[in-house]
């Protein structure tokens, strides 16, 4: 069985400062991990994904995430926050166990607030 | 490139009325298709997924149903809406053998049941 925990429901940072959104996962197999972003009343947009290649994954809009197996973490970071980064962020874990919708699990989301 | 469309964008319906939400994908063949619901303050809930025409798997028993009449068309329906059906409905697609591959989401439909 797999699970994902986003450790903060809300994160507030000032514009121009670093962003850290934390995600821990639990998986019985080698997982794939994703981060999605959702702006208000919009669909989810894929930021980046990890699929057992390089552990440091670079995504769009300056975001990156590092897969740390020993810590079962996949935290999302950005060096300098921009006002347009204000949105809801979802961490997602999946296992290729041969099918079944249970193979994809979404975190509850972290609401990122950017202070001017 | 692939694109995914959903309509309508917003919908206000009375309790007990029928529902039909449509999702279409362009630029790919034989995609896996998904319907999710996102209720206020809650995460995403997978409602249905489909790996081919006429093949529908339901994840949550409820008064909703889904159909896939064409390869790139996915429809979410209800005969009688409940207040609890209000939410943001998202359609998504993926390709590949496993439904756990990367999913790409549509713009969503905001449904309000009064």
């Amino acid at each position: 069985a797999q699970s994902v925990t986003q450790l903060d429901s809300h994160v507030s940072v000032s514009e121009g400062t670093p962003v850290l959104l934390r995600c821990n996962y639990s998986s019985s197999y080698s997982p794939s991990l994703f981060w999605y972003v959702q702006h208000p009343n919009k669909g989810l947009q894929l930021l980046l994904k990890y699929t057992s290649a390089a552990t440091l994954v670079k995504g769009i809009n300056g975001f990156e995430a590092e897969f740390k197996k020993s810590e079962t973490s996949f935290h999302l970071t950005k060096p300098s926050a921009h006002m347009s980064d204000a949105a809801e962020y979802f961490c997602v874990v999946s296992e290729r166990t041969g099918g079944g919708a249970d193979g994809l699990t979404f975190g509850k989301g972290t609401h990122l607030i950017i202070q001017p | 490139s692939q694109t995914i469309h959903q309509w309508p964008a917003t919908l206000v319906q009375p309790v007990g009325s029928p529902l039909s939400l449509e999702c279409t994908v362009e630029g790919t063949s034989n995609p896996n298709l998904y319907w999710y619901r996102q209720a206020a303050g809650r995460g995403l809930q997978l409602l249905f997924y489909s790996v081919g025409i006429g093949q529908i798997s339901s994840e949550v028993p409820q008064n909703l149903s889904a159909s896939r009449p064409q390869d790139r068309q996915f429809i979410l329906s209800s005969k009688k809406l409940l207040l609890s059906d209000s939410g943001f409905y998202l359609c998504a697609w993926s390709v590949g053998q496993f439904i756990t591959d990367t999913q790409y989401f549509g713009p969503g439909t905001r449904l309000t049941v009064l």
Side-chain angles (χ1 to χ4, degrees), chain A residues 34 36 38 41-44 46 49 90 94-96 100-101 103-104 106, chain B residues 36 38 44 46 49 59 88 90 98-103 105-107 110:
Chain A
F34 310 83
Y36 286 86
Q38 184 181 30
N41 291 310
K42 302 291 184 184
L44 276 70
L46 181 67
K49 64 179 178 180
F90 293 93
S94 76
E95 292 179 343
R96 287 195 169 187
L104 197 66
F106 284 77
Chain B
Y36 289 87
Q38 190 176 28
L44 273 76
L46 179 64
Y49 70 95
E59 291 302 302
F88 194 51
L90 291 159
F98 299 98
I99 69 167
T100 54
D101 289 322
T102 306
Q103 295 183 17
F105 287 79
R110 174 72 60 189

PDB file of all heavy atoms in Angstrom, chain A residues 34 36 38 41-44 46 49 90 94-96 100-101 103-104 106, chain B residues 36 38 44 46 49 59 88 90 98-103 105-107 110:
ATOM      1  N   PHE A  34       5.256  12.759  -8.242  1.00  0.00           N
ATOM      2  CA  PHE A  34       4.895  13.920  -9.047  1.00  0.00           C
ATOM      3  C   PHE A  34       4.565  15.097  -8.125  1.00  0.00           C
ATOM      4  O   PHE A  34       4.135  14.914  -6.985  1.00  0.00           O
ATOM      5  CB  PHE A  34       3.649  13.646  -9.896  1.00  0.00           C
ATOM      6  CG  PHE A  34       3.685  12.375 -10.689  1.00  0.00           C
ATOM      7  CD1 PHE A  34       3.337  11.163 -10.111  1.00  0.00           C
ATOM      8  CD2 PHE A  34       4.022  12.392 -12.031  1.00  0.00           C
ATOM      9  CE1 PHE A  34       3.354   9.987 -10.844  1.00  0.00           C
ATOM     10  CE2 PHE A  34       4.028  11.216 -12.772  1.00  0.00           C
ATOM     11  CZ  PHE A  34       3.692  10.021 -12.174  1.00  0.00           C
ATOM     12  N   TYR A  36       2.117  18.550  -8.699  1.00  0.00           N
ATOM     13  CA  TYR A  36       1.213  19.297  -9.551  1.00  0.00           C
ATOM     14  C   TYR A  36       0.908  20.631  -8.872  1.00  0.00           C
ATOM     15  O   TYR A  36       0.901  20.731  -7.640  1.00  0.00           O
ATOM     16  CB  TYR A  36      -0.118  18.566  -9.752  1.00  0.00           C
ATOM     17  CG  TYR A  36      -0.075  17.368 -10.673  1.00  0.00           C
ATOM     18  CD1 TYR A  36       0.265  16.112 -10.204  1.00  0.00           C
ATOM     19  CD2 TYR A  36      -0.413  17.502 -12.020  1.00  0.00           C
ATOM     20  CE1 TYR A  36       0.274  15.012 -11.048  1.00  0.00           C
ATOM     21  CE2 TYR A  36      -0.415  16.405 -12.881  1.00  0.00           C
ATOM     22  CZ  TYR A  36      -0.068  15.171 -12.383  1.00  0.00           C
ATOM     23  OH  TYR A  36      -0.066  14.083 -13.226  1.00  0.00           O
ATOM     24  N   GLN A  38      -2.077  23.828  -8.835  1.00  0.00           N
ATOM     25  CA  GLN A  38      -3.435  24.184  -9.234  1.00  0.00           C
ATOM     26  C   GLN A  38      -3.704  25.626  -8.835  1.00  0.00           C
ATOM     27  O   GLN A  38      -3.742  25.947  -7.648  1.00  0.00           O
ATOM     28  CB  GLN A  38      -4.469  23.260  -8.581  1.00  0.00           C
ATOM     29  CG  GLN A  38      -5.887  23.533  -9.041  1.00  0.00           C
ATOM     30  CD  GLN A  38      -6.901  22.621  -8.375  1.00  0.00           C
ATOM     31  OE1 GLN A  38      -6.705  22.188  -7.245  1.00  0.00           O
ATOM     32  NE2 GLN A  38      -7.988  22.315  -9.084  1.00  0.00           N
ATOM     33  N   ASN A  41      -9.609  27.732  -9.442  1.00  0.00           N
ATOM     34  CA  ASN A  41     -10.585  27.388 -10.483  1.00  0.00           C
ATOM     35  C   ASN A  41      -9.938  26.931 -11.791  1.00  0.00           C
ATOM     36  O   ASN A  41     -10.506  27.124 -12.875  1.00  0.00           O
ATOM     37  CB  ASN A  41     -11.523  28.562 -10.747  1.00  0.00           C
ATOM     38  CG  ASN A  41     -12.446  28.817  -9.570  1.00  0.00           C
ATOM     39  OD1 ASN A  41     -13.081  27.906  -9.060  1.00  0.00           O
ATOM     40  ND2 ASN A  41     -12.473  30.060  -9.109  1.00  0.00           N
ATOM     41  N   LYS A  42      -8.768  26.351 -11.682  1.00  0.00           N
ATOM     42  CA  LYS A  42      -8.076  25.799 -12.850  1.00  0.00           C
ATOM     43  C   LYS A  42      -7.799  24.323 -12.640  1.00  0.00           C
ATOM     44  O   LYS A  42      -7.901  23.808 -11.525  1.00  0.00           O
ATOM     45  CB  LYS A  42      -6.753  26.539 -13.079  1.00  0.00           C
ATOM     46  CG  LYS A  42      -6.875  28.031 -13.293  1.00  0.00           C
ATOM     47  CD  LYS A  42      -7.538  28.359 -14.611  1.00  0.00           C
ATOM     48  CE  LYS A  42      -7.556  29.862 -14.845  1.00  0.00           C
ATOM     49  NZ  LYS A  42      -8.294  30.216 -16.094  1.00  0.00           N
ATOM     50  N   GLY A  43      -7.425  23.645 -13.742  1.00  0.00           N
ATOM     51  CA  GLY A  43      -7.022  22.259 -13.621  1.00  0.00           C
ATOM     52  C   GLY A  43      -5.641  22.133 -13.017  1.00  0.00           C
ATOM     53  O   GLY A  43      -4.976  23.129 -12.713  1.00  0.00           O
ATOM     54  N   LEU A  44      -5.194  20.911 -12.835  1.00  0.00           N
ATOM     55  CA  LEU A  44      -3.867  20.662 -12.281  1.00  0.00           C
ATOM     56  C   LEU A  44      -2.830  20.657 -13.403  1.00  0.00           C
ATOM     57  O   LEU A  44      -3.039  20.046 -14.448  1.00  0.00           O
ATOM     58  CB  LEU A  44      -3.823  19.316 -11.561  1.00  0.00           C
ATOM     59  CG  LEU A  44      -4.297  19.292 -10.121  1.00  0.00           C
ATOM     60  CD1 LEU A  44      -5.791  19.501 -10.034  1.00  0.00           C
ATOM     61  CD2 LEU A  44      -3.891  17.988  -9.447  1.00  0.00           C
ATOM     62  N   LEU A  46       1.149  19.733 -14.349  1.00  0.00           N
ATOM     63  CA  LEU A  46       2.312  18.975 -13.906  1.00  0.00           C
ATOM     64  C   LEU A  46       3.525  19.888 -13.791  1.00  0.00           C
ATOM     65  O   LEU A  46       3.896  20.565 -14.747  1.00  0.00           O
ATOM     66  CB  LEU A  46       2.604  17.850 -14.896  1.00  0.00           C
ATOM     67  CG  LEU A  46       3.789  16.957 -14.561  1.00  0.00           C
ATOM     68  CD1 LEU A  46       3.504  16.129 -13.309  1.00  0.00           C
ATOM     69  CD2 LEU A  46       4.112  16.037 -15.745  1.00  0.00           C
ATOM     70  N   LYS A  49       8.273  15.399 -12.355  1.00  0.00           N
ATOM     71  CA  LYS A  49       8.048  14.014 -11.962  1.00  0.00           C
ATOM     72  C   LYS A  49       9.372  13.293 -11.785  1.00  0.00           C
ATOM     73  O   LYS A  49      10.375  13.601 -12.441  1.00  0.00           O
ATOM     74  CB  LYS A  49       7.187  13.290 -12.996  1.00  0.00           C
ATOM     75  CG  LYS A  49       7.819  13.164 -14.370  1.00  0.00           C
ATOM     76  CD  LYS A  49       6.873  12.412 -15.310  1.00  0.00           C
ATOM     77  CE  LYS A  49       7.468  12.315 -16.713  1.00  0.00           C
ATOM     78  NZ  LYS A  49       6.569  11.582 -17.639  1.00  0.00           N
ATOM     79  N   PHE A  90       0.107  19.879  -5.086  1.00  0.00           N
ATOM     80  CA  PHE A  90      -0.212  18.501  -4.727  1.00  0.00           C
ATOM     81  C   PHE A  90       0.983  17.593  -5.003  1.00  0.00           C
ATOM     82  O   PHE A  90       1.544  17.602  -6.103  1.00  0.00           O
ATOM     83  CB  PHE A  90      -1.414  17.989  -5.520  1.00  0.00           C
ATOM     84  CG  PHE A  90      -2.708  18.671  -5.173  1.00  0.00           C
ATOM     85  CD1 PHE A  90      -3.132  19.765  -5.904  1.00  0.00           C
ATOM     86  CD2 PHE A  90      -3.477  18.230  -4.110  1.00  0.00           C
ATOM     87  CE1 PHE A  90      -4.319  20.408  -5.590  1.00  0.00           C
ATOM     88  CE2 PHE A  90      -4.670  18.868  -3.789  1.00  0.00           C
ATOM     89  CZ  PHE A  90      -5.084  19.964  -4.526  1.00  0.00           C
ATOM     90  N   SER A  94       2.864   7.112  -7.022  1.00  0.00           N
ATOM     91  CA  SER A  94       2.245   6.003  -7.737  1.00  0.00           C
ATOM     92  C   SER A  94       3.155   4.794  -7.711  1.00  0.00           C
ATOM     93  O   SER A  94       4.384   4.915  -7.592  1.00  0.00           O
ATOM     94  CB  SER A  94       1.946   6.385  -9.191  1.00  0.00           C
ATOM     95  OG  SER A  94       3.118   6.385  -9.967  1.00  0.00           O
ATOM     96  N   GLU A  95       2.532   3.630  -7.801  1.00  0.00           N
ATOM     97  CA  GLU A  95       3.261   2.371  -7.851  1.00  0.00           C
ATOM     98  C   GLU A  95       2.801   1.600  -9.066  1.00  0.00           C
ATOM     99  O   GLU A  95       1.611   1.475  -9.313  1.00  0.00           O
ATOM    100  CB  GLU A  95       2.969   1.534  -6.596  1.00  0.00           C
ATOM    101  CG  GLU A  95       3.502   2.095  -5.313  1.00  0.00           C
ATOM    102  CD  GLU A  95       3.142   1.215  -4.131  1.00  0.00           C
ATOM    103  OE1 GLU A  95       2.231   0.369  -4.275  1.00  0.00           O
ATOM    104  OE2 GLU A  95       3.759   1.357  -3.079  1.00  0.00           O
ATOM    105  N   ARG A  96       3.750   1.043  -9.778  1.00  0.00           N
ATOM    106  CA  ARG A  96       3.387   0.226 -10.937  1.00  0.00           C
ATOM    107  C   ARG A  96       3.211  -1.218 -10.465  1.00  0.00           C
ATOM    108  O   ARG A  96       4.076  -2.051 -10.616  1.00  0.00           O
ATOM    109  CB  ARG A  96       4.473   0.303 -12.007  1.00  0.00           C
ATOM    110  CG  ARG A  96       4.480   1.628 -12.713  1.00  0.00           C
ATOM    111  CD  ARG A  96       5.274   1.577 -13.976  1.00  0.00           C
ATOM    112  NE  ARG A  96       5.075   2.762 -14.784  1.00  0.00           N
ATOM    113  CZ  ARG A  96       5.548   2.901 -16.007  1.00  0.00           C
ATOM    114  NH1 ARG A  96       6.234   1.931 -16.562  1.00  0.00           N
ATOM    115  NH2 ARG A  96       5.333   4.005 -16.697  1.00  0.00           N
ATOM    116  N   GLY A 100      -4.936  -0.887 -11.641  1.00  0.00           N
ATOM    117  CA  GLY A 100      -5.822  -0.561 -10.529  1.00  0.00           C
ATOM    118  C   GLY A 100      -5.680   0.881 -10.149  1.00  0.00           C
ATOM    119  O   GLY A 100      -4.587   1.422 -10.118  1.00  0.00           O
ATOM    120  N   ALA A 101      -6.764   1.525  -9.900  1.00  0.00           N
ATOM    121  CA  ALA A 101      -6.735   2.955  -9.604  1.00  0.00           C
ATOM    122  C   ALA A 101      -6.033   3.234  -8.299  1.00  0.00           C
ATOM    123  O   ALA A 101      -5.621   4.345  -8.038  1.00  0.00           O
ATOM    124  CB  ALA A 101      -8.145   3.498  -9.566  1.00  0.00           C
ATOM    125  N   GLY A 103      -3.242   2.675  -7.601  1.00  0.00           N
ATOM    126  CA  GLY A 103      -1.840   2.933  -7.880  1.00  0.00           C
ATOM    127  C   GLY A 103      -1.472   4.398  -7.879  1.00  0.00           C
ATOM    128  O   GLY A 103      -0.309   4.727  -7.938  1.00  0.00           O
ATOM    129  N   LEU A 104      -2.417   5.311  -7.814  1.00  0.00           N
ATOM    130  CA  LEU A 104      -2.144   6.741  -7.843  1.00  0.00           C
ATOM    131  C   LEU A 104      -2.768   7.367  -6.606  1.00  0.00           C
ATOM    132  O   LEU A 104      -3.961   7.256  -6.387  1.00  0.00           O
ATOM    133  CB  LEU A 104      -2.741   7.344  -9.103  1.00  0.00           C
ATOM    134  CG  LEU A 104      -2.259   8.719  -9.529  1.00  0.00           C
ATOM    135  CD1 LEU A 104      -0.798   8.679  -9.926  1.00  0.00           C
ATOM    136  CD2 LEU A 104      -3.090   9.208 -10.698  1.00  0.00           C
ATOM    137  N   PHE A 106      -3.013  10.928  -4.222  1.00  0.00           N
ATOM    138  CA  PHE A 106      -2.778  12.373  -4.118  1.00  0.00           C
ATOM    139  C   PHE A 106      -2.654  12.785  -2.653  1.00  0.00           C
ATOM    140  O   PHE A 106      -3.393  12.293  -1.797  1.00  0.00           O
ATOM    141  CB  PHE A 106      -3.938  13.142  -4.736  1.00  0.00           C
ATOM    142  CG  PHE A 106      -3.944  13.146  -6.233  1.00  0.00           C
ATOM    143  CD1 PHE A 106      -4.369  12.043  -6.944  1.00  0.00           C
ATOM    144  CD2 PHE A 106      -3.527  14.269  -6.940  1.00  0.00           C
ATOM    145  CE1 PHE A 106      -4.370  12.042  -8.332  1.00  0.00           C
ATOM    146  CE2 PHE A 106      -3.534  14.284  -8.323  1.00  0.00           C
ATOM    147  CZ  PHE A 106      -3.957  13.167  -9.020  1.00  0.00           C
TER     148      PHE A 106
ATOM    149  N   TYR B  36     -12.229  12.990 -11.869  1.00  0.00           N
ATOM    150  CA  TYR B  36     -11.979  13.254 -10.462  1.00  0.00           C
ATOM    151  C   TYR B  36     -12.983  14.297  -9.968  1.00  0.00           C
ATOM    152  O   TYR B  36     -13.477  15.125 -10.724  1.00  0.00           O
ATOM    153  CB  TYR B  36     -10.578  13.850 -10.243  1.00  0.00           C
ATOM    154  CG  TYR B  36      -9.427  12.916 -10.439  1.00  0.00           C
ATOM    155  CD1 TYR B  36      -8.860  12.727 -11.693  1.00  0.00           C
ATOM    156  CD2 TYR B  36      -8.858  12.244  -9.355  1.00  0.00           C
ATOM    157  CE1 TYR B  36      -7.778  11.879 -11.870  1.00  0.00           C
ATOM    158  CE2 TYR B  36      -7.779  11.401  -9.519  1.00  0.00           C
ATOM    159  CZ  TYR B  36      -7.242  11.227 -10.776  1.00  0.00           C
ATOM    160  OH  TYR B  36      -6.165  10.401 -10.942  1.00  0.00           O
ATOM    161  N   GLN B  38     -13.203  17.247  -6.841  1.00  0.00           N
ATOM    162  CA  GLN B  38     -12.490  17.971  -5.805  1.00  0.00           C
ATOM    163  C   GLN B  38     -13.528  18.803  -5.052  1.00  0.00           C
ATOM    164  O   GLN B  38     -14.019  19.805  -5.560  1.00  0.00           O
ATOM    165  CB  GLN B  38     -11.427  18.872  -6.433  1.00  0.00           C
ATOM    166  CG  GLN B  38     -10.465  19.499  -5.479  1.00  0.00           C
ATOM    167  CD  GLN B  38      -9.388  20.287  -6.208  1.00  0.00           C
ATOM    168  OE1 GLN B  38      -9.607  20.798  -7.301  1.00  0.00           O
ATOM    169  NE2 GLN B  38      -8.213  20.385  -5.627  1.00  0.00           N
ATOM    170  N   LEU B  44      -8.296  15.407  -4.079  1.00  0.00           N
ATOM    171  CA  LEU B  44      -8.902  14.848  -5.275  1.00  0.00           C
ATOM    172  C   LEU B  44      -9.393  13.436  -5.016  1.00  0.00           C
ATOM    173  O   LEU B  44      -8.692  12.617  -4.435  1.00  0.00           O
ATOM    174  CB  LEU B  44      -7.900  14.817  -6.422  1.00  0.00           C
ATOM    175  CG  LEU B  44      -7.814  16.080  -7.255  1.00  0.00           C
ATOM    176  CD1 LEU B  44      -7.058  17.143  -6.499  1.00  0.00           C
ATOM    177  CD2 LEU B  44      -7.163  15.796  -8.584  1.00  0.00           C
ATOM    178  N   LEU B  46     -10.788  10.141  -7.032  1.00  0.00           N
ATOM    179  CA  LEU B  46     -10.988   9.496  -8.321  1.00  0.00           C
ATOM    180  C   LEU B  46     -12.372   8.865  -8.361  1.00  0.00           C
ATOM    181  O   LEU B  46     -12.733   8.077  -7.481  1.00  0.00           O
ATOM    182  CB  LEU B  46      -9.915   8.434  -8.561  1.00  0.00           C
ATOM    183  CG  LEU B  46     -10.014   7.667  -9.864  1.00  0.00           C
ATOM    184  CD1 LEU B  46      -9.813   8.601 -11.055  1.00  0.00           C
ATOM    185  CD2 LEU B  46      -8.996   6.543  -9.896  1.00  0.00           C
ATOM    186  N   TYR B  49     -12.390   5.633 -14.116  1.00  0.00           N
ATOM    187  CA  TYR B  49     -11.338   5.650 -15.109  1.00  0.00           C
ATOM    188  C   TYR B  49     -11.686   4.667 -16.209  1.00  0.00           C
ATOM    189  O   TYR B  49     -12.486   3.738 -16.021  1.00  0.00           O
ATOM    190  CB  TYR B  49      -9.956   5.368 -14.514  1.00  0.00           C
ATOM    191  CG  TYR B  49      -9.716   3.959 -14.026  1.00  0.00           C
ATOM    192  CD1 TYR B  49      -9.106   3.018 -14.841  1.00  0.00           C
ATOM    193  CD2 TYR B  49     -10.052   3.600 -12.728  1.00  0.00           C
ATOM    194  CE1 TYR B  49      -8.853   1.739 -14.392  1.00  0.00           C
ATOM    195  CE2 TYR B  49      -9.807   2.321 -12.271  1.00  0.00           C
ATOM    196  CZ  TYR B  49      -9.206   1.390 -13.101  1.00  0.00           C
ATOM    197  OH  TYR B  49      -8.965   0.124 -12.640  1.00  0.00           O
ATOM    198  N   GLU B  59     -14.696   3.820  -9.004  1.00  0.00           N
ATOM    199  CA  GLU B  59     -13.948   3.748  -7.764  1.00  0.00           C
ATOM    200  C   GLU B  59     -14.801   4.056  -6.544  1.00  0.00           C
ATOM    201  O   GLU B  59     -14.489   3.625  -5.449  1.00  0.00           O
ATOM    202  CB  GLU B  59     -12.759   4.722  -7.815  1.00  0.00           C
ATOM    203  CG  GLU B  59     -11.692   4.286  -8.793  1.00  0.00           C
ATOM    204  CD  GLU B  59     -11.145   2.908  -8.460  1.00  0.00           C
ATOM    205  OE1 GLU B  59     -10.640   2.717  -7.340  1.00  0.00           O
ATOM    206  OE2 GLU B  59     -11.236   2.011  -9.323  1.00  0.00           O
ATOM    207  N   PHE B  88     -15.714  20.566  -7.850  1.00  0.00           N
ATOM    208  CA  PHE B  88     -14.937  20.881  -9.053  1.00  0.00           C
ATOM    209  C   PHE B  88     -14.584  19.553  -9.701  1.00  0.00           C
ATOM    210  O   PHE B  88     -13.912  18.712  -9.083  1.00  0.00           O
ATOM    211  CB  PHE B  88     -13.692  21.673  -8.642  1.00  0.00           C
ATOM    212  CG  PHE B  88     -12.968  22.340  -9.774  1.00  0.00           C
ATOM    213  CD1 PHE B  88     -13.653  23.134 -10.681  1.00  0.00           C
ATOM    214  CD2 PHE B  88     -11.599  22.208  -9.916  1.00  0.00           C
ATOM    215  CE1 PHE B  88     -12.993  23.777 -11.720  1.00  0.00           C
ATOM    216  CE2 PHE B  88     -10.927  22.851 -10.948  1.00  0.00           C
ATOM    217  CZ  PHE B  88     -11.622  23.627 -11.848  1.00  0.00           C
ATOM    218  N   LEU B  90     -12.776  17.311 -12.499  1.00  0.00           N
ATOM    219  CA  LEU B  90     -11.604  17.345 -13.362  1.00  0.00           C
ATOM    220  C   LEU B  90     -11.512  16.076 -14.191  1.00  0.00           C
ATOM    221  O   LEU B  90     -11.669  14.971 -13.664  1.00  0.00           O
ATOM    222  CB  LEU B  90     -10.334  17.491 -12.527  1.00  0.00           C
ATOM    223  CG  LEU B  90     -10.161  18.849 -11.846  1.00  0.00           C
ATOM    224  CD1 LEU B  90      -9.203  18.736 -10.671  1.00  0.00           C
ATOM    225  CD2 LEU B  90      -9.620  19.861 -12.839  1.00  0.00           C
ATOM    226  N   PHE B  98       0.144   1.407 -17.909  1.00  0.00           N
ATOM    227  CA  PHE B  98      -0.281   1.513 -16.519  1.00  0.00           C
ATOM    228  C   PHE B  98      -1.041   2.809 -16.301  1.00  0.00           C
ATOM    229  O   PHE B  98      -0.637   3.868 -16.762  1.00  0.00           O
ATOM    230  CB  PHE B  98       0.931   1.482 -15.589  1.00  0.00           C
ATOM    231  CG  PHE B  98       1.713   0.212 -15.681  1.00  0.00           C
ATOM    232  CD1 PHE B  98       2.843   0.141 -16.455  1.00  0.00           C
ATOM    233  CD2 PHE B  98       1.300  -0.909 -14.983  1.00  0.00           C
ATOM    234  CE1 PHE B  98       3.566  -1.031 -16.546  1.00  0.00           C
ATOM    235  CE2 PHE B  98       2.017  -2.082 -15.059  1.00  0.00           C
ATOM    236  CZ  PHE B  98       3.153  -2.156 -15.847  1.00  0.00           C
ATOM    237  N   ILE B  99      -2.110   2.734 -15.541  1.00  0.00           N
ATOM    238  CA  ILE B  99      -2.856   3.957 -15.270  1.00  0.00           C
ATOM    239  C   ILE B  99      -2.147   4.810 -14.240  1.00  0.00           C
ATOM    240  O   ILE B  99      -2.605   5.870 -13.888  1.00  0.00           O
ATOM    241  CB  ILE B  99      -4.297   3.662 -14.816  1.00  0.00           C
ATOM    242  CG1 ILE B  99      -4.292   3.026 -13.438  1.00  0.00           C
ATOM    243  CG2 ILE B  99      -5.010   2.784 -15.811  1.00  0.00           C
ATOM    244  CD1 ILE B  99      -5.662   3.012 -12.816  1.00  0.00           C
ATOM    245  N   THR B 100      -1.015   4.335 -13.764  1.00  0.00           N
ATOM    246  CA  THR B 100      -0.233   5.132 -12.822  1.00  0.00           C
ATOM    247  C   THR B 100       0.779   6.020 -13.525  1.00  0.00           C
ATOM    248  O   THR B 100       1.584   6.659 -12.874  1.00  0.00           O
ATOM    249  CB  THR B 100       0.507   4.210 -11.850  1.00  0.00           C
ATOM    250  OG1 THR B 100       1.278   3.264 -12.609  1.00  0.00           O
ATOM    251  CG2 THR B 100      -0.461   3.463 -10.958  1.00  0.00           C
ATOM    252  N   ASP B 101       0.758   6.030 -14.843  1.00  0.00           N
ATOM    253  CA  ASP B 101       1.640   6.938 -15.562  1.00  0.00           C
ATOM    254  C   ASP B 101       1.161   8.377 -15.406  1.00  0.00           C
ATOM    255  O   ASP B 101       0.063   8.636 -14.912  1.00  0.00           O
ATOM    256  CB  ASP B 101       1.696   6.549 -17.044  1.00  0.00           C
ATOM    257  CG  ASP B 101       2.456   5.249 -17.253  1.00  0.00           C
ATOM    258  OD1 ASP B 101       3.457   5.042 -16.544  1.00  0.00           O
ATOM    259  OD2 ASP B 101       2.044   4.456 -18.105  1.00  0.00           O
ATOM    260  N   THR B 102       1.990   9.293 -15.852  1.00  0.00           N
ATOM    261  CA  THR B 102       1.708  10.719 -15.698  1.00  0.00           C
ATOM    262  C   THR B 102       0.326  11.059 -16.255  1.00  0.00           C
ATOM    263  O   THR B 102      -0.006  10.679 -17.375  1.00  0.00           O
ATOM    264  CB  THR B 102       2.768  11.552 -16.429  1.00  0.00           C
ATOM    265  OG1 THR B 102       4.055  11.158 -15.971  1.00  0.00           O
ATOM    266  CG2 THR B 102       2.550  13.028 -16.165  1.00  0.00           C
ATOM    267  N   GLN B 103      -0.444  11.789 -15.474  1.00  0.00           N
ATOM    268  CA  GLN B 103      -1.767  12.223 -15.900  1.00  0.00           C
ATOM    269  C   GLN B 103      -1.757  13.712 -16.177  1.00  0.00           C
ATOM    270  O   GLN B 103      -1.113  14.486 -15.469  1.00  0.00           O
ATOM    271  CB  GLN B 103      -2.808  11.885 -14.834  1.00  0.00           C
ATOM    272  CG  GLN B 103      -2.983  10.387 -14.634  1.00  0.00           C
ATOM    273  CD  GLN B 103      -4.066  10.048 -13.643  1.00  0.00           C
ATOM    274  OE1 GLN B 103      -4.909  10.879 -13.306  1.00  0.00           O
ATOM    275  NE2 GLN B 103      -4.070   8.803 -13.190  1.00  0.00           N
ATOM    276  N   PHE B 105      -4.272  17.056 -16.833  1.00  0.00           N
ATOM    277  CA  PHE B 105      -5.617  17.447 -16.430  1.00  0.00           C
ATOM    278  C   PHE B 105      -6.218  18.517 -17.335  1.00  0.00           C
ATOM    279  O   PHE B 105      -5.514  19.365 -17.878  1.00  0.00           O
ATOM    280  CB  PHE B 105      -5.591  17.964 -14.989  1.00  0.00           C
ATOM    281  CG  PHE B 105      -5.401  16.883 -13.975  1.00  0.00           C
ATOM    282  CD1 PHE B 105      -4.142  16.360 -13.726  1.00  0.00           C
ATOM    283  CD2 PHE B 105      -6.481  16.371 -13.277  1.00  0.00           C
ATOM    284  CE1 PHE B 105      -3.964  15.346 -12.797  1.00  0.00           C
ATOM    285  CE2 PHE B 105      -6.320  15.360 -12.347  1.00  0.00           C
ATOM    286  CZ  PHE B 105      -5.056  14.845 -12.111  1.00  0.00           C
ATOM    287  N   GLY B 106      -7.536  18.461 -17.422  1.00  0.00           N
ATOM    288  CA  GLY B 106      -8.287  19.498 -18.112  1.00  0.00           C
ATOM    289  C   GLY B 106      -8.527  20.691 -17.206  1.00  0.00           C
ATOM    290  O   GLY B 106      -8.135  20.691 -16.042  1.00  0.00           O
ATOM    291  N   PRO B 107      -9.218  21.719 -17.729  1.00  0.00           N
ATOM    292  CA  PRO B 107      -9.430  22.954 -16.965  1.00  0.00           C
ATOM    293  C   PRO B 107     -10.487  22.833 -15.884  1.00  0.00           C
ATOM    294  O   PRO B 107     -10.574  23.702 -15.017  1.00  0.00           O
ATOM    295  CB  PRO B 107      -9.854  23.957 -18.033  1.00  0.00           C
ATOM    296  CG  PRO B 107     -10.471  23.114 -19.094  1.00  0.00           C
ATOM    297  CD  PRO B 107      -9.701  21.839 -19.107  1.00  0.00           C
ATOM    298  N   ARG B 110     -16.862  23.624 -12.691  1.00  0.00           N
ATOM    299  CA  ARG B 110     -17.351  23.953 -11.356  1.00  0.00           C
ATOM    300  C   ARG B 110     -18.845  23.693 -11.333  1.00  0.00           C
ATOM    301  O   ARG B 110     -19.600  24.344 -12.028  1.00  0.00           O
ATOM    302  CB  ARG B 110     -17.074  25.415 -11.039  1.00  0.00           C
ATOM    303  CG  ARG B 110     -17.674  25.910  -9.730  1.00  0.00           C
ATOM    304  CD  ARG B 110     -16.972  25.361  -8.530  1.00  0.00           C
ATOM    305  NE  ARG B 110     -15.563  25.731  -8.498  1.00  0.00           N
ATOM    306  CZ  ARG B 110     -14.714  25.225  -7.623  1.00  0.00           C
ATOM    307  NH1 ARG B 110     -15.106  24.320  -6.742  1.00  0.00           N
ATOM    308  NH2 ARG B 110     -13.454  25.611  -7.637  1.00  0.00           N
TER     309      ARG B 110
END
